[in-house]
Amino acid sequence: MNKISLYPADIYQVIDKSLLSDMDRLILNMLYMPIIGGSAISLYLKLQAETRNTFISPEFTHHHLMTSISTTLDNLKESRLRLEGIGLLKTYVMKAEVNSYVYELYSPVSANEFFAHPIFNIVLYNNVGKDEYNRLLNYFKLPNIQLKDYEDITMSFDSVFKIRNYTMLEANNENVVSKNKLLLKYELDYDYDLLISLLPKGMFNERCLNKSMRELITNLSFLYDLDPTTMADLIKASLNEKGNIVKEDLRKNTRKFYQFNNDNRLPSLIFKSQPEYLKSASGDNTKRGRIIRVFENNSPYEFLKAKYKGAKPTNRDMQILEELLIDLKLNPAVVNVLIDYTLKTNNNKLIKSYVETIAGQWKRSGVETASEAMELAEKEHKKKYKNGQITSKKASLMPTWFNESIKSSENDSEEDIEFKNLIEEFRKYDKK
């Protein structure tokens, strides 16, 4: 997807396909908010209010939207991306001197659909904890009223109404407003051909792989990071006597498999990519510019995996990543700089206490970009060296991007071995 800059002068219009009810608002605030955050929910409700119950809003500028919900343009765009990812919003743009956006709002899923959803359900549990999850679940449960002593006396349709001759009417319900929901959208292309080939033909009924089953498998594979080979083994353990996949068994088996391999923890959502508006300007071909692009264009998992020479990082190191991204809410590129700096200055070890100390300082300093993180790391490192807090040997263990010569060098002679190694390891292991 091409990078499109957002400016306060850009205009937007809202199309409301949600038909938001009071129950929908409860679901947004109580179930969606723990996952996508309050800023995203505020943006959704503001956009819905812009239509003033006419389904299509007038045109406004994004400056109007920023002042209405008291936020910055950067935060507004990040909130919009979260709404898009969770299936509450579709965004369209028409490029011009002043870009025009159309925001199409969609309804949240029902409470029943939310708690039955393979991703929403697990992520909510992990984010709020067992006690709060159970409280939310009980809140949305219908009271159980016993009707066994009651008689059903409901009248049928034809007992109440009868047909008579009416004037002929050409029924046309096209474009009549209706409540709409979006399915989660994935860019990954799941290899179902490989999955099917791994399942025993005598035991597996291929016809059970309908649209809803494929949707479940895709959701579970994303949530638990399962490749087709692993998923095939879990499906084999979830087949009934007719060779059909039992959905609830598949969900339980994938959850148990993940917990067994992750210290009984459940997964959560990590907003993995560095926001476009926090990336550096394109066209910088200095060594420093190219290193920054490595930090910006790899997720922390991909970055750390490259440091492991393509192997899967340990659970302990993965837990450090999750704490940096979820608890401290550091941006991915900033986490990548922190990983690179920590490994270089600590003999290739991620020492949790050391990482947390630096991460806390960067968070308090408001570091958001790779460039800001690099500059602060270099400044603090040199300050310690000047104060005599570390030895000269330790001071020599510095990332290649501390080198002043890389900041203005347009022509890469590949003489800098550290620089070459940093770039090459990502060419070799990137996204494998």
Side-chain angles (χ1 to χ4, degrees), residues 374-418:
M374 292 162 72
E375 290 170 4
L376 186 56
E378 185 174 6
K379 177 182 175 182
E380 291 297 317
H381 194 88
K382 289 180 177 178
K383 185 191 297 183
K384 288 181 181 179
Y385 177 61
K386 285 182 179 179
N387 292 340
Q389 295 177 12
I390 57 175
T391 65
S392 58
K393 181 180 180 182
K394 187 85 170 179
S396 67
L397 298 175
M398 300 188 302
T400 184
W401 36 270
F402 276 19
N403 190 341
E404 291 291 333
S405 66
I406 73 169
K407 297 180 183 179
S408 58
S409 173
E410 293 288 345
N411 298 316
D412 176 21
S413 64
E414 298 297 337
E415 293 178 3
D416 189 326
I417 296 175
E418 282 194 70

Tab-separated table of all heavy atoms in Angstrom, residues 374-418:
chain	number	residue	atom	x	y	z
A	374	MET	N	18.143	6.538	18.467
A	374	MET	CA	19.576	6.428	18.170
A	374	MET	C	20.348	7.592	18.790
A	374	MET	O	21.411	7.413	19.391
A	374	MET	CB	19.781	6.368	16.664
A	374	MET	CG	19.245	5.085	16.021
A	374	MET	SD	19.002	5.222	14.231
A	374	MET	CE	20.699	5.242	13.655
A	375	GLU	N	19.801	8.789	18.640
A	375	GLU	CA	20.481	9.976	19.168
A	375	GLU	C	20.559	9.953	20.689
A	375	GLU	O	21.604	10.276	21.275
A	375	GLU	CB	19.755	11.234	18.692
A	375	GLU	CG	19.921	11.503	17.204
A	375	GLU	CD	19.010	12.609	16.700
A	375	GLU	OE1	18.295	13.218	17.534
A	375	GLU	OE2	19.007	12.863	15.473
A	376	LEU	N	19.477	9.551	21.344
A	376	LEU	CA	19.477	9.507	22.806
A	376	LEU	C	20.399	8.413	23.324
A	376	LEU	O	21.118	8.606	24.315
A	376	LEU	CB	18.051	9.298	23.322
A	376	LEU	CG	17.877	9.364	24.842
A	376	LEU	CD1	18.400	10.684	25.406
A	376	LEU	CD2	16.402	9.174	25.229
A	377	ALA	N	20.407	7.259	22.658
A	377	ALA	CA	21.291	6.161	23.067
A	377	ALA	C	22.749	6.592	22.974
A	377	ALA	O	23.554	6.334	23.890
A	377	ALA	CB	21.039	4.932	22.202
A	378	GLU	N	23.087	7.235	21.870
A	378	GLU	CA	24.469	7.694	21.678
A	378	GLU	C	24.852	8.745	22.719
A	378	GLU	O	25.950	8.704	23.303
A	378	GLU	CB	24.625	8.260	20.271
A	378	GLU	CG	26.046	8.656	19.918
A	378	GLU	CD	26.192	9.066	18.464
A	378	GLU	OE1	25.163	9.151	17.751
A	378	GLU	OE2	27.338	9.310	18.049
A	379	LYS	N	23.951	9.671	22.987
A	379	LYS	CA	24.201	10.738	23.961
A	379	LYS	C	24.441	10.162	25.356
A	379	LYS	O	25.401	10.543	26.052
A	379	LYS	CB	23.007	11.699	23.968
A	379	LYS	CG	23.120	12.818	24.984
A	379	LYS	CD	21.859	13.681	24.949
A	379	LYS	CE	21.899	14.741	26.053
A	379	LYS	NZ	20.648	15.559	26.057
A	380	GLU	N	23.569	9.248	25.789
A	380	GLU	CA	23.695	8.666	27.125
A	380	GLU	C	24.940	7.791	27.244
A	380	GLU	O	25.609	7.770	28.282
A	380	GLU	CB	22.442	7.851	27.460
A	380	GLU	CG	21.191	8.697	27.659
A	380	GLU	CD	21.322	9.648	28.837
A	380	GLU	OE1	21.829	9.214	29.888
A	380	GLU	OE2	20.945	10.820	28.695
A	381	HIS	N	25.247	7.064	26.175
A	381	HIS	CA	26.412	6.186	26.189
A	381	HIS	C	27.694	7.009	26.339
A	381	HIS	O	28.575	6.673	27.134
A	381	HIS	CB	26.459	5.358	24.896
A	381	HIS	CG	27.415	4.209	24.958
A	381	HIS	ND1	27.066	2.970	25.435
A	381	HIS	CD2	28.732	4.116	24.615
A	381	HIS	CE1	28.096	2.154	25.374
A	381	HIS	NE2	29.126	2.831	24.869
A	382	LYS	N	27.803	8.094	25.586
A	382	LYS	CA	28.993	8.950	25.642
A	382	LYS	C	29.084	9.676	26.984
A	382	LYS	O	30.169	9.912	27.509
A	382	LYS	CB	28.968	9.943	24.487
A	382	LYS	CG	29.226	9.279	23.134
A	382	LYS	CD	29.208	10.280	21.995
A	382	LYS	CE	29.546	9.606	20.675
A	382	LYS	NZ	29.484	10.561	19.536
A	383	LYS	N	27.933	10.024	27.567
A	383	LYS	CA	27.920	10.686	28.867
A	383	LYS	C	28.498	9.748	29.934
A	383	LYS	O	29.299	10.162	30.782
A	383	LYS	CB	26.494	11.087	29.246
A	383	LYS	CG	26.404	11.892	30.543
A	383	LYS	CD	24.969	12.030	31.003
A	383	LYS	CE	24.133	12.805	30.007
A	383	LYS	NZ	22.739	13.004	30.505
A	384	LYS	N	28.126	8.491	29.917
A	384	LYS	CA	28.650	7.523	30.872
A	384	LYS	C	30.155	7.344	30.707
A	384	LYS	O	30.905	7.229	31.685
A	384	LYS	CB	27.949	6.165	30.692
A	384	LYS	CG	26.509	6.137	31.172
A	384	LYS	CD	25.920	4.751	30.982
A	384	LYS	CE	24.463	4.718	31.439
A	384	LYS	NZ	23.865	3.379	31.242
A	385	TYR	N	30.600	7.321	29.458
A	385	TYR	CA	32.028	7.139	29.183
A	385	TYR	C	32.832	8.321	29.719
A	385	TYR	O	33.868	8.157	30.343
A	385	TYR	CB	32.241	6.984	27.678
A	385	TYR	CG	33.689	6.864	27.283
A	385	TYR	CD1	34.475	5.811	27.751
A	385	TYR	CD2	34.285	7.806	26.448
A	385	TYR	CE1	35.813	5.690	27.393
A	385	TYR	CE2	35.614	7.702	26.082
A	385	TYR	CZ	36.369	6.650	26.561
A	385	TYR	OH	37.695	6.543	26.210
A	386	LYS	N	32.314	9.540	29.520
A	386	LYS	CA	33.001	10.740	29.993
A	386	LYS	C	33.048	10.773	31.521
A	386	LYS	O	34.003	11.250	32.118
A	386	LYS	CB	32.296	11.994	29.469
A	386	LYS	CG	32.562	12.259	27.996
A	386	LYS	CD	31.874	13.536	27.543
A	386	LYS	CE	32.158	13.802	26.072
A	386	LYS	NZ	31.469	15.035	25.592
A	387	ASN	N	32.010	10.274	32.161
A	387	ASN	CA	31.952	10.276	33.623
A	387	ASN	C	32.742	9.122	34.242
A	387	ASN	O	32.743	8.943	35.450
A	387	ASN	CB	30.496	10.197	34.096
A	387	ASN	CG	29.745	11.475	33.760
A	387	ASN	OD1	30.341	12.515	33.521
A	387	ASN	ND2	28.418	11.376	33.740
A	388	GLY	N	33.360	8.310	33.397
A	388	GLY	CA	34.185	7.214	33.885
A	388	GLY	C	33.403	6.062	34.454
A	388	GLY	O	33.943	5.273	35.224
A	389	GLN	N	32.142	5.927	34.098
A	389	GLN	CA	31.310	4.864	34.664
A	389	GLN	C	31.510	3.522	33.966
A	389	GLN	O	31.096	2.498	34.456
A	389	GLN	CB	29.841	5.273	34.598
A	389	GLN	CG	29.524	6.473	35.466
A	389	GLN	CD	28.080	6.906	35.317
A	389	GLN	OE1	27.276	6.191	34.745
A	389	GLN	NE2	27.753	8.064	35.834
A	390	ILE	N	32.134	3.554	32.786
A	390	ILE	CA	32.408	2.307	32.085
A	390	ILE	C	33.841	2.331	31.576
A	390	ILE	O	34.444	3.384	31.398
A	390	ILE	CB	31.446	2.085	30.900
A	390	ILE	CG1	31.523	3.257	29.921
A	390	ILE	CG2	30.037	1.877	31.349
A	390	ILE	CD1	30.694	3.048	28.679
A	391	THR	N	34.399	1.192	31.349
A	391	THR	CA	35.778	1.096	30.900
A	391	THR	C	35.887	1.457	29.430
A	391	THR	O	34.904	1.446	28.696
A	391	THR	CB	36.304	-0.336	31.106
A	391	THR	OG1	35.558	-1.221	30.259
A	391	THR	CG2	36.157	-0.763	32.556
A	392	SER	N	37.117	1.726	28.994
A	392	SER	CA	37.331	2.047	27.581
A	392	SER	C	36.999	0.853	26.694
A	392	SER	O	36.517	1.002	25.569
A	392	SER	CB	38.779	2.485	27.354
A	392	SER	OG	39.678	1.454	27.767
A	393	LYS	N	37.233	-0.352	27.223
A	393	LYS	CA	36.879	-1.560	26.463
A	393	LYS	C	35.373	-1.636	26.257
A	393	LYS	O	34.883	-1.948	25.181
A	393	LYS	CB	37.369	-2.803	27.204
A	393	LYS	CG	37.061	-4.104	26.476
A	393	LYS	CD	37.575	-5.300	27.266
A	393	LYS	CE	37.256	-6.602	26.541
A	393	LYS	NZ	37.709	-7.781	27.309
A	394	LYS	N	34.625	-1.330	27.316
A	394	LYS	CA	33.161	-1.337	27.223
A	394	LYS	C	32.689	-0.236	26.280
A	394	LYS	O	31.742	-0.420	25.517
A	394	LYS	CB	32.567	-1.114	28.625
A	394	LYS	CG	31.060	-1.259	28.698
A	394	LYS	CD	30.646	-2.678	28.878
A	394	LYS	CE	29.164	-2.774	29.186
A	394	LYS	NZ	28.710	-4.146	29.336
A	395	ALA	N	33.368	0.928	26.326
A	395	ALA	CA	32.976	2.041	25.471
A	395	ALA	C	33.178	1.724	24.004
A	395	ALA	O	32.500	2.277	23.141
A	395	ALA	CB	33.774	3.287	25.851
A	396	SER	N	34.113	0.827	23.714
A	396	SER	CA	34.360	0.472	22.312
A	396	SER	C	33.277	-0.429	21.752
A	396	SER	O	33.177	-0.604	20.540
A	396	SER	CB	35.720	-0.223	22.187
A	396	SER	OG	35.687	-1.485	22.844
A	397	LEU	N	32.482	-1.021	22.634
A	397	LEU	CA	31.389	-1.881	22.183
A	397	LEU	C	30.168	-1.021	21.894
A	397	LEU	O	29.214	-0.964	22.659
A	397	LEU	CB	31.060	-2.937	23.247
A	397	LEU	CG	32.179	-3.919	23.589
A	397	LEU	CD1	31.766	-4.823	24.724
A	397	LEU	CD2	32.561	-4.745	22.369
A	398	MET	N	30.208	-0.352	20.766
A	398	MET	CA	29.130	0.555	20.406
A	398	MET	C	28.537	0.137	19.067
A	398	MET	O	29.247	-0.372	18.200
A	398	MET	CB	29.645	1.997	20.305
A	398	MET	CG	30.240	2.540	21.582
A	398	MET	SD	30.623	4.302	21.455
A	398	MET	CE	31.752	4.322	20.071
A	399	PRO	N	27.243	0.340	18.873
A	399	PRO	CA	26.637	0.050	17.568
A	399	PRO	C	27.297	0.859	16.467
A	399	PRO	O	27.815	1.954	16.706
A	399	PRO	CB	25.173	0.466	17.754
A	399	PRO	CG	24.959	0.445	19.227
A	399	PRO	CD	26.260	0.829	19.844
A	400	THR	N	27.268	0.341	15.248
A	400	THR	CA	27.905	1.026	14.130
A	400	THR	C	27.294	2.395	13.874
A	400	THR	O	27.956	3.293	13.369
A	400	THR	CB	27.818	0.157	12.854
A	400	THR	OG1	28.532	0.806	11.810
A	400	THR	CG2	26.381	-0.053	12.422
A	401	TRP	N	26.025	2.588	14.268
A	401	TRP	CA	25.390	3.875	13.990
A	401	TRP	C	25.834	4.977	14.944
A	401	TRP	O	25.428	6.122	14.817
A	401	TRP	CB	23.864	3.760	13.980
A	401	TRP	CG	23.239	2.812	14.947
A	401	TRP	CD1	22.956	1.492	14.732
A	401	TRP	CD2	22.798	3.092	16.283
A	401	TRP	NE1	22.381	0.934	15.846
A	401	TRP	CE2	22.258	1.887	16.816
A	401	TRP	CE3	22.788	4.230	17.081
A	401	TRP	CZ2	21.732	1.796	18.093
A	401	TRP	CZ3	22.271	4.148	18.366
A	401	TRP	CH2	21.750	2.941	18.857
A	402	PHE	N	26.719	4.659	15.918
A	402	PHE	CA	27.357	5.701	16.719
A	402	PHE	C	28.440	6.425	15.917
A	402	PHE	O	28.862	7.511	16.286
A	402	PHE	CB	28.012	5.088	17.960
A	402	PHE	CG	27.072	4.895	19.115
A	402	PHE	CD1	25.701	4.872	18.929
A	402	PHE	CD2	27.555	4.722	20.400
A	402	PHE	CE1	24.832	4.672	20.008
A	402	PHE	CE2	26.703	4.531	21.482
A	402	PHE	CZ	25.332	4.511	21.276
A	403	ASN	N	28.899	5.807	14.854
A	403	ASN	CA	30.011	6.327	14.067
A	403	ASN	C	29.601	7.572	13.303
A	403	ASN	O	28.681	7.534	12.479
A	403	ASN	CB	30.489	5.240	13.090
A	403	ASN	CG	31.793	5.602	12.405
A	403	ASN	OD1	32.174	6.774	12.372
A	403	ASN	ND2	32.456	4.597	11.878
A	404	GLU	N	30.277	8.687	13.551
A	404	GLU	CA	29.927	9.954	12.902
A	404	GLU	C	30.062	9.870	11.389
A	404	GLU	O	29.362	10.545	10.656
A	404	GLU	CB	30.829	11.082	13.430
A	404	GLU	CG	30.568	11.468	14.877
A	404	GLU	CD	29.225	12.159	15.047
A	404	GLU	OE1	28.743	12.772	14.085
A	404	GLU	OE2	28.652	12.081	16.142
A	405	SER	N	30.963	9.026	10.897
A	405	SER	CA	31.230	9.001	9.458
A	405	SER	C	30.059	8.482	8.643
A	405	SER	O	29.961	8.755	7.447
A	405	SER	CB	32.461	8.136	9.163
A	405	SER	OG	32.203	6.777	9.475
A	406	ILE	N	29.140	7.743	9.286
A	406	ILE	CA	28.036	7.187	8.505
A	406	ILE	C	26.937	8.202	8.267
A	406	ILE	O	26.050	7.993	7.466
A	406	ILE	CB	27.429	5.927	9.169
A	406	ILE	CG1	26.617	6.315	10.406
A	406	ILE	CG2	28.472	4.909	9.488
A	406	ILE	CD1	25.787	5.184	10.952
A	407	LYS	N	26.983	9.341	8.981
A	407	LYS	CA	25.878	10.282	8.921
A	407	LYS	C	25.863	11.101	7.636
A	407	LYS	O	24.832	11.601	7.227
A	407	LYS	CB	25.919	11.210	10.135
A	407	LYS	CG	25.728	10.462	11.453
A	407	LYS	CD	25.771	11.362	12.639
A	407	LYS	CE	25.648	10.554	13.932
A	407	LYS	NZ	25.714	11.412	15.123
A	408	SER	N	27.031	11.266	7.001
A	408	SER	CA	27.071	12.085	5.796
A	408	SER	C	27.558	11.333	4.580
A	408	SER	O	27.679	11.892	3.504
A	408	SER	CB	27.993	13.296	6.034
A	408	SER	OG	29.286	12.847	6.395
A	409	SER	N	27.860	10.051	4.739
A	409	SER	CA	28.392	9.279	3.627
A	409	SER	C	27.288	8.854	2.683
A	409	SER	O	26.448	8.039	3.007
A	409	SER	CB	29.122	8.039	4.158
A	409	SER	OG	29.508	7.196	3.098
A	410	GLU	N	27.293	9.409	1.461
A	410	GLU	CA	26.293	9.039	0.461
A	410	GLU	C	26.689	7.752	-0.250
A	410	GLU	O	25.853	6.975	-0.672
A	410	GLU	CB	26.133	10.168	-0.571
A	410	GLU	CG	25.530	11.434	0.005
A	410	GLU	CD	24.058	11.283	0.311
A	410	GLU	OE1	23.448	10.321	-0.183
A	410	GLU	OE2	23.517	12.115	1.040
A	411	ASN	N	28.001	7.565	-0.455
A	411	ASN	CA	28.467	6.416	-1.213
A	411	ASN	C	28.973	5.353	-0.260
A	411	ASN	O	29.970	5.543	0.426
A	411	ASN	CB	29.597	6.832	-2.166
A	411	ASN	CG	29.123	7.847	-3.176
A	411	ASN	OD1	28.047	7.701	-3.738
A	411	ASN	ND2	29.918	8.892	-3.401
A	412	ASP	N	28.305	4.240	-0.216
A	412	ASP	CA	28.670	3.156	0.686
A	412	ASP	C	29.786	2.335	0.060
A	412	ASP	O	29.582	1.623	-0.915
A	412	ASP	CB	27.444	2.278	0.938
A	412	ASP	CG	27.789	1.080	1.791
A	412	ASP	OD1	28.815	1.142	2.485
A	412	ASP	OD2	27.022	0.112	1.754
A	413	SER	N	30.962	2.433	0.639
A	413	SER	CA	32.108	1.703	0.111
A	413	SER	C	32.147	0.266	0.624
A	413	SER	O	32.980	-0.511	0.199
A	413	SER	CB	33.405	2.411	0.524
A	413	SER	OG	33.535	2.382	1.934
A	414	GLU	N	31.235	-0.073	1.558
A	414	GLU	CA	31.167	-1.401	2.192
A	414	GLU	C	32.434	-1.707	2.987
A	414	GLU	O	32.740	-2.855	3.276
A	414	GLU	CB	30.920	-2.509	1.142
A	414	GLU	CG	29.611	-2.383	0.398
A	414	GLU	CD	28.414	-2.507	1.304
A	414	GLU	OE1	28.528	-3.096	2.382
A	414	GLU	OE2	27.354	-2.017	0.920
A	415	GLU	N	33.206	-0.660	3.328
A	415	GLU	CA	34.405	-0.881	4.123
A	415	GLU	C	34.066	-1.046	5.604
A	415	GLU	O	34.828	-1.614	6.364
A	415	GLU	CB	35.389	0.274	3.935
A	415	GLU	CG	35.954	0.317	2.516
A	415	GLU	CD	36.901	1.490	2.329
A	415	GLU	OE1	37.131	2.204	3.317
A	415	GLU	OE2	37.384	1.689	1.219
A	416	ASP	N	32.948	-0.474	5.995
A	416	ASP	CA	32.545	-0.586	7.391
A	416	ASP	C	31.962	-1.977	7.616
A	416	ASP	O	30.840	-2.273	7.212
A	416	ASP	CB	31.513	0.486	7.718
A	416	ASP	CG	31.211	0.559	9.206
A	416	ASP	OD1	31.239	-0.498	9.847
A	416	ASP	OD2	30.932	1.665	9.693
A	417	ILE	N	32.725	-2.850	8.243
A	417	ILE	CA	32.320	-4.256	8.399
A	417	ILE	C	31.052	-4.378	9.228
A	417	ILE	O	30.141	-5.148	8.897
A	417	ILE	CB	33.459	-5.077	9.033
A	417	ILE	CG1	34.660	-5.088	8.096
A	417	ILE	CG2	33.001	-6.503	9.324
A	417	ILE	CD1	35.882	-5.761	8.679
A	418	GLU	N	30.957	-3.613	10.323
A	418	GLU	CA	29.771	-3.679	11.177
A	418	GLU	C	28.534	-3.250	10.409
A	418	GLU	O	27.477	-3.874	10.521
A	418	GLU	CB	29.955	-2.784	12.398
A	418	GLU	CG	30.837	-3.390	13.467
A	418	GLU	CD	30.701	-2.620	14.762
A	418	GLU	OE1	29.630	-2.721	15.381
A	418	GLU	OE2	31.646	-1.935	15.128
